Amino acid sequence: MVSYSMNVYVLFIIPVFAEANLVSPYIKTKVIPELQTCTENTFNGVITHFENVSNIGCSERCSSHPICRRYMYDKESRLCTLFESGENCITHERVDNKLCYKQKSVCGATKCTRCPIGYYGEHCQHIIRDCKDGFDKELHPDRITLSYIQPVVNGPVVEAKCIFKLNGRLYIHFRKTDCLEVDFNKTFDEYANGFGNPVGNYFLGLEHIYNILQGPDRVLSIEFGLTTGLKAKGFAKKIQISSKDTGYKIYFDNFNPYSSGDSLTNLRGRPFSTFDRDNTSYICPERFGGGWWYKNDNVCSRGNINGKRVGNNFESTWHWQDDLGTNTSFSYIFMRIKVL
Ligand SMILES: *[C@@H]1O[C@H](CO)[C@@H](O)[C@H](O)[C@H]1NC(C)=O
Ligand SMILES: *[C@@H]1O[C@H](CO)[C@@H](O)[C@H](O)[C@H]1NC(C)=O
Ligand SMILES: *[C@@H]1O[C@H](CO)[C@@H](O)[C@H](O)[C@H]1NC(C)=O
Ligand SMILES: *[C@@H]1O[C@H](CO)[C@@H](O)[C@H](O)[C@H]1NC(C)=O
């Protein structure tokens, strides 16, 4: 839980309220179920709770809190929960008795007093391209946050996990056993556009990753938490992927298997394969149960981070060969990109 002094902000809350009374600054969004362990251990963005308030009272509390961007209201218990960022509300309880609202930009006649995270400018008219951009704009404290990003000008706005420190870190892939399982055995289009829930397990989407990688050179890190508590990671420098037309082929300078083992180097130059667009002659995506840059041989890949957590066999179960040993079990796996 984070605590912030509100005193500093009290003076300019009044015009925010006046504005809020004219036009509701909230948009109704979704309530999404998630496991309690996921939201507690990773990120949930909760600021605080208020008991026994009305829905309007809850929106007023969000409007008057300097970092609130979203709130969840329980119609039965009248519990009000404020969140600092994000598109949808997550709960490990029932979803049908809850409502979620996200704040639009809160703007007066001449300027905005707060923008959704990722947007900036006097009228919230700009949006960061990725987490590196958010770092440059000094948008937020240095912990994990949910942010809107727009990888390509006038393109779609997507929600992602970001860290706005050390040049920015963007989570493009996230799987944790504490979170609700998301099936990664998806179609090519789903891998292109992204899937899952950015609060928990998700994949950002190859098209967004492609657009982000058009900027300065990036490093891709693949990081693993083992069920033993140990951690491992590896880095691929100057990571690039080709366009959708050419199958999102993966390129990088070298993979440094820092402590993870190298299951990536032999896939350099390979296009991305899914069960519905398989560039291998060995039905790799079907066997492995997820999309990847599989090699066109019977081994397919020495690593599988998109397989089942509990598969029918070794191949289809998530693993990463070499140094870690072939039967290591993971508590989490994620991939991030950062500027070199
Ligand atoms: C909840 O709020 C209502 C109206 O403000 C009040 O009448 C009631 O006593 C409150 N209940 C509790 C348990 O605080
Ligand atoms: C894989 O894609 C390449 C073009 O990128 C194509 O030439 C090749 O025939 C494809 N192979 C399979 C097995 O789909
Ligand atoms: C992945 O999905 C495809 C298409 O539904 C299916 O044929 C394949 O068996 C699945 N793979 C696994 C490992 O479940
Ligand atoms: C993993 O462990 C299982 C059960 O102990 C074993 O049958 C299997 O061969 C192992 N897989 C590899 C690739 O070592």
Side-chain angles (χ1 to χ4, degrees):
M1 193 78 56
V2 278
S3 67
Y4 295 83
S5 160
M6 287 190 48
N7 301 339
V8 194
Y9 296 88
V10 165
L11 281 178
F12 67 80
I13 280 164
I14 291 103
V16 173
F17 264 114
E19 204 73 35
N21 288 340
L22 289 174
V23 182
S24 163
Y26 291 94
I27 303 169
K28 199 170 175 187
T29 63
K30 286 185 260 179
V31 181
I32 296 176
E34 188 46 274
L35 302 180
Q36 184 171 14
T37 46
C38 173
T39 56
E40 278 184 352
N41 294 345
T42 54
F43 165 83
N44 63 9
V46 172
I47 302 167
T48 189
H49 302 279
F50 295 97
E51 285 172 8
N52 196 24
V53 295
S54 65
N55 190 355
I56 302 261
C58 190
S59 74
E60 287 169 352
R61 278 164 177 80
C62 183
S63 297
S64 62
H65 195 290
I67 62 163
C68 185
R69 296 290 187 281
R70 161 176 62 111
Y71 74 89
M72 181 166 71
Y73 184 65
D74 187 313
K75 293 180 279 184
E76 283 166 20
S77 70
R78 294 169 53 86
L79 182 72
C80 164
T81 309
L82 307 188
F83 297 85
E84 66 171 27
S85 59
E87 175 74 16
N88 300 304
C89 297
I90 41 151
T91 179
H92 59 272
E93 294 167 351
R94 275 171 55 203
V95 299
D96 60 294
N97 57 350
K98 295 183 180 61
L99 301 166
C100 184
Y101 297 88
K102 66 170 176 176
Q103 221 171 37
K104 290 200 260 183
S105 307
V106 180
C107 300
T110 55
K111 64 180 250 181
C112 303
T113 52
R114 77 176 85 161
C115 312
I117 292 179
Y119 289 82
Y120 64 99
E122 284 209 331
H123 304 283
C124 305
Q125 73 275 35
H126 303 298
I127 173 164
I128 58 171
R129 197 170 154 257
D130 75 346
C131 310
K132 152 73 174 149
D133 207 8
F135 166 79
D136 291 343
K137 304 290 184 309
E138 298 178 349
L139 283 191
H140 203 264
D142 61 3
R143 53 208 147 71
I144 257 193
T145 189
L146 288 173
S147 179
Y148 294 103
I149 60 172
Q150 189 178 41
V152 70
V153 179
N154 297 326
V157 172
V158 280
E159 200 188 5
K161 281 188 182 80
C162 273
I163 304 179
F164 296 136
K165 71 169 178 183
L166 302 170
N167 258 336
R169 301 275 189 276
L170 167 65
Y171 289 79
I172 61 170
H173 175 282
F174 191 89
R175 296 187 79 182
K176 197 167 192 294
T177 52
D178 283 346
C179 301
L180 272 183
E181 179 145 22
V182 167
D183 185 2
F184 275 60
N185 195 9
K186 295 281 202 254
T187 62
F188 195 81
D189 279 344
E190 287 172 300
Y191 269 99
N193 300 322
F195 55 83
N197 164 21
V199 173
N201 293 329
Y202 83 119
F203 182 70
L204 184 68
L206 291 162
E207 192 59 25
H208 305 309
I209 298 166
Y210 166 76
N211 285 318
I212 288 161
L213 295 179
Q214 299 307 300
D217 287 344
R218 312 272 159 154
V219 177
L220 171 75
S221 71
I222 306 184
E223 307 186 27
F224 308 91
L226 313 188
T227 44
T228 57
L230 292 171
K231 295 173 186 174
K233 54 183 161 185
F235 301 98
K237 286 193 178 154
K238 294 199 181 176
I239 180 80
Q240 288 287 315
I241 59 174
S242 71
S243 64
K244 186 174 190 177
D245 294 348
T246 54
Y248 297 121
K249 288 181 183 144
I250 189 167
Y251 298 100
F252 47 90
D253 256 17
N254 65 301
F255 186 76
N256 178 359
Y258 196 57
S259 51
S260 69
D262 181 1
S263 299
L264 205 63
T265 297
N266 68 332
L267 306 181
R268 203 190 269 142
R270 289 294 302 154
F272 200 85
S273 285
T274 52
F275 68 80
D276 66 330
R277 195 180 302 183
D278 186 359
N279 195 265
T280 75
S281 309
Y282 299 86
I283 53 164
C284 296
E286 278 178 50
R287 286 162 51 195
F288 278 58
W292 196 242
W293 293 276
Y294 298 106
K295 207 171 174 193
N296 192 23
D297 65 24
N298 195 43
V299 175
C300 303
S301 167
R302 291 183 303 196
N304 180 6
I305 68 170
N306 290 336
K308 312 267 181 252
R309 281 184 201 157
V310 182
N312 296 330
N313 52 44
F314 177 75
E315 227 171 39
S316 64
T317 311
W318 62 355
H319 64 269
W320 192 263
Q321 287 197 32
D322 296 349
D323 300 0
L324 283 179
T326 44
N327 268 328
T328 309
S329 54
F330 300 111
S331 56
Y332 66 79
I333 297 176
F334 60 74
M335 295 201 288
R336 302 194 294 198
I337 51 176
K338 62 175 184 181
V339 167
L340 268 178

